[in-house]
Amino acid sequence: MEYIVSARKYRPLSFDTVVGQAALTTTLKNAVKSGKLAHAYLFCGPRGVGKTTCARIFAKAINCQHPTAEGEACNECESCQSFNEQRSLNIFELDAASNNSVEHIKTLMEQTRIPPQLGRYKVFIIDEVHMLSTAAFNAFLKTLEEPPAHVIFILATTEKHKILPTILSRCQIYDFERMTIRNTIDHLKHVAEQEGITYEEQALAVIAEKADGGMRDALSIFDQAASFCQGNITYEKVIEDLNVLDSENYFKIIDLAIDNKVSDIMVLLNGVINKGFDGGLLIQGLAKHVRNVLMARDPQTLPLLEVSDQMRARYEEQAKKCQIPFLYDALKLMNQCDINYRQSSNKRLLVELTLIEIAQITQPAEDGASAGRKPRRLKSLFKNIIQQQKPKNAAPQVAAAKVAASATAAVTAAASESTTANTANKASTAATTTTTTSKPKLSLGNIGFSFKKMGQKNNETQKGGMQIIPGSINMPTGQDTITDAQFTQTDLEFQWMAMCNRMPQKLSGIATRMKNMNPEITEFPKVEVVVDNDLIKQDIEEIQKSIAKTLQIYLHNDQIQLSVRVAEQTEHVKILSRREQFEQMAEKNAAIAKLQQAFDLELA
């Protein structure tokens, strides 16, 4: 007896035996019952879901002389018998992949003129219609739009996007769905029972998943597995035959990750790779597994698991052990690994690092080194400074000075980001609290700015409506106790320029203008600044108190008073261009002009 593969032997012969397309077959049966038939149909969808099969069943039902009340063919009339015996003259099948030229389409159009010999319609089934050339499509357009009354076209394709829009607009379009794993398993059970083959449902689930929504593929794989297993399809033999990674590995990895057993996961990964499986395949399968575990946590999402009943129970059991944050973080890590896998030059290392990070998601936090984990968030700045710079008994003053310098720099940086006096006060209060509770206690009274003094000064600043222009490494450290130090005009100009360079970004405009000003000591320690107009004077006066306080600190003199006035008419100085400056210099020093002539220099 001739052997027939299951995909052909168990091909549906009626609408009721079509698997997974209930809505579509119901529509076609109702069209046959009511007699409301369109002149052109387009069946589109993935491979192996029944497009051509439904086209044949529909064509037979259309020409059936005695259709049933449900719209099915009777399989007893002459039209049905001739179709079943493949001798029907009213139903034509054309493979567009090999008959895609204009000549083939013109020959087909000639056949449409001949009326049917038996039955009411001539049905033309054109498979893989997207393979027709553009010229063939255009030759087909007119006939497809207005065919003879006795002609019906049924087009089938797996790539709907390749068909011209003018063709699509002339057809009734039916989109076939992929087979669900549940439907595929049920159909494979039916075939196995008909063939007398014993099976494990979990093994059929692996076959259905491997088929990726195609029933024809599932039946082909089923025949292959049946031959390998000699009539007893088991899970172990199926994964061995199909070279599929055992899902047990995924369950083990998650269980080990929850217990933070990194070493065991590395051993398991090595075993998987030694069996010939790719690390990227493991990550993809593990991501799908974690997604299923996440779905199994909620009864509402449990139906989204397209697995066997036995596997669904296992997912529910593992879902009880896993917390949702762990599953979310694991999915993020695996998604990032999947994105970077192709570009990675060391793919195994990437997979290992990803699994290590997953295994340490639930690891308890540690105060010390992370022992291979991802970097932890930084502790409080002041706490780290105190802990890392512990003063020793042999040199307490040196250690205290280092801590004070680090803390002062931190406070200064925080002050630069502060835009209001209130924020500065909060920062100083936090710093004071931290130093009070930190161990060991440090005496910072005689080395630069202490936290206590900073708090007092900020409070005074808040009361006076002013704040210090922030500094950086130039912050005075050691002369803070001197409040009446002498300073020269050079010292004043140096600290003025340094202050302008340190001013925050929001004051960059006024800082640029202040660099062109020359403050002068009028009557020590009074300082006067001359500006060009009233607008600049107003801008300076808004921050006048802050400027004065900054000069007092950096020049170590609390008696400094700053005044601003607009220059008189006689005091205005003309701003010279570069060329005018050069000419003025050349007049004062003849050597400059000789230097220009000797080297043939030009002013840029």
Side-chain angles (χ1 to χ4, degrees), residues 241-253:
D241 180 37
L242 302 181
N243 196 30
V244 176
L245 185 59
D246 188 0
S247 60
E248 186 67 24
N249 293 299
Y250 303 138
F251 284 101
K252 289 182 180 179
I253 290 176

Side-chain angles (χ1 to χ4, degrees), residues 362-381:
T362 59
Q363 182 172 329
E366 299 176 2
D367 291 335
S370 298
R373 297 182 61 197
K374 295 175 67 176
R376 294 171 51 80
R377 290 187 176 89
L378 295 178
K379 302 288 186 180
S380 171
L381 177 61

Side-chain angles (χ1 to χ4, degrees), residues 281-438:
L281 179 65
L282 174 66
I283 292 296
Q284 293 174 6
L286 186 60
K288 185 176 181 181
H289 174 84
V290 173
R291 176 260 182 194
N292 289 342
V293 174
L294 185 62
M295 295 299 105
R297 285 187 57 87
D298 193 336
Q300 293 183 346
T301 56
L302 192 59
L304 298 178
L305 297 182
E306 294 186 349
V307 294
S308 62
D309 296 336
Q310 182 181 357
M311 291 296 293
R312 182 179 284 106
R314 291 204 61 186
Y315 279 120
E316 288 184 276
E317 180 181 355
Q318 190 171 70
K320 296 176 183 178
K321 305 177 185 178
C322 302
Q323 299 297 324
I324 291 182
F326 166 77
L327 299 176
Y328 284 162
D329 292 342
L331 284 174
K332 290 179 182 178
L333 290 171
M334 287 183 287
N335 182 59
Q336 192 63 36
C337 177
D338 188 38
I339 293 173
N340 299 330
Y341 188 78
R342 292 183 179 180
Q343 301 177 353
S344 176
S345 59
N346 193 341
K347 293 180 170 53
R348 175 165 181 168
L349 179 61
L350 177 63
V351 174
E352 289 175 344
L353 289 175
T354 301
L355 294 178
I356 289 173
E357 290 180 347
I358 293 173
Q360 294 182 338
I361 292 175
T362 59
Q363 182 172 329
E366 299 176 2
D367 291 335
S370 298
R373 297 182 61 197
K374 295 175 67 176
R376 294 171 51 80
R377 290 187 176 89
L378 295 178
K379 302 288 186 180
S380 171
L381 177 61
F382 297 110
K383 182 178 179 181
N384 276 349
I385 292 173
I386 299 301
Q387 289 181 350
Q388 294 174 7
Q389 301 286 347
K390 290 184 178 180
K392 297 182 180 179
N393 295 331
Q397 295 298 329
V398 176
K402 291 182 179 179
V403 177
S406 302
T408 304
V411 173
T412 306
S416 65
E417 298 177 357
S418 177
T419 57
T420 63
N422 188 27
T423 306
N425 187 33
K426 290 182 179 180
S428 65
T429 304
T432 305
T433 304
T434 305
T435 54
T436 302
T437 58
S438 300

Side-chain angles (χ1 to χ4, degrees), residues 585-601:
M585 293 170 58
E587 291 178 1
K588 295 180 180 180
N589 191 344
I592 295 178
K594 293 180 180 180
L595 181 67
Q596 179 193 17
Q597 295 175 0
F599 290 96
D600 193 19
L601 300 176

Side-chain angles (χ1 to χ4, degrees), residues 40-61:
Y41 295 86
L42 175 62
F43 293 171
C44 51
R47 68 182 190 279
V49 295
K51 299 183 297 297
T52 306
T53 298
C54 285
R56 291 176 179 176
I57 297 173
F58 188 42
K60 182 171 70 171

Side-chain angles (χ1 to χ4, degrees), residues 384-521:
N384 276 349
I385 292 173
I386 299 301
Q387 289 181 350
Q388 294 174 7
Q389 301 286 347
K390 290 184 178 180
K392 297 182 180 179
N393 295 331
Q397 295 298 329
V398 176
K402 291 182 179 179
V403 177
S406 302
T408 304
V411 173
T412 306
S416 65
E417 298 177 357
S418 177
T419 57
T420 63
N422 188 27
T423 306
N425 187 33
K426 290 182 179 180
S428 65
T429 304
T432 305
T433 304
T434 305
T435 54
T436 302
T437 58
S438 300
K439 294 182 179 181
K441 296 182 179 179
L442 300 176
S443 177
L444 306 178
N446 59 347
I447 46 174
F449 284 96
S450 67
F451 296 129
K452 183 176 180 181
K453 290 182 178 180
M454 285 297 297
Q456 292 174 351
K457 290 181 179 180
N458 284 335
N459 290 335
E460 294 172 0
T461 299
Q462 186 176 8
K463 293 177 182 179
M466 59 183 171
Q467 74 180 65
I468 303 170
I469 300 297
S472 55
I473 61 174
N474 295 323
M475 195 72 160
T477 57
Q479 302 293 334
D480 188 38
T481 56
I482 302 176
T483 59
D484 57 351
Q486 298 292 320
F487 59 90
T488 64
Q489 178 67 28
T490 304
D491 296 334
L492 174 62
E493 293 177 356
F494 174 79
Q495 294 298 341
W496 179 273
M497 188 61 64
M499 176 183 63
C500 294
N501 292 330
R502 295 193 305 268
M503 292 177 71
Q505 183 66 28
K506 64 178 183 177
L507 299 177
S508 59
I510 188 62
T512 303
R513 295 189 182 95
M514 288 172 59
K515 289 179 182 180
N516 297 325
M517 301 176 187
N518 292 319
E520 294 182 357
I521 303 174

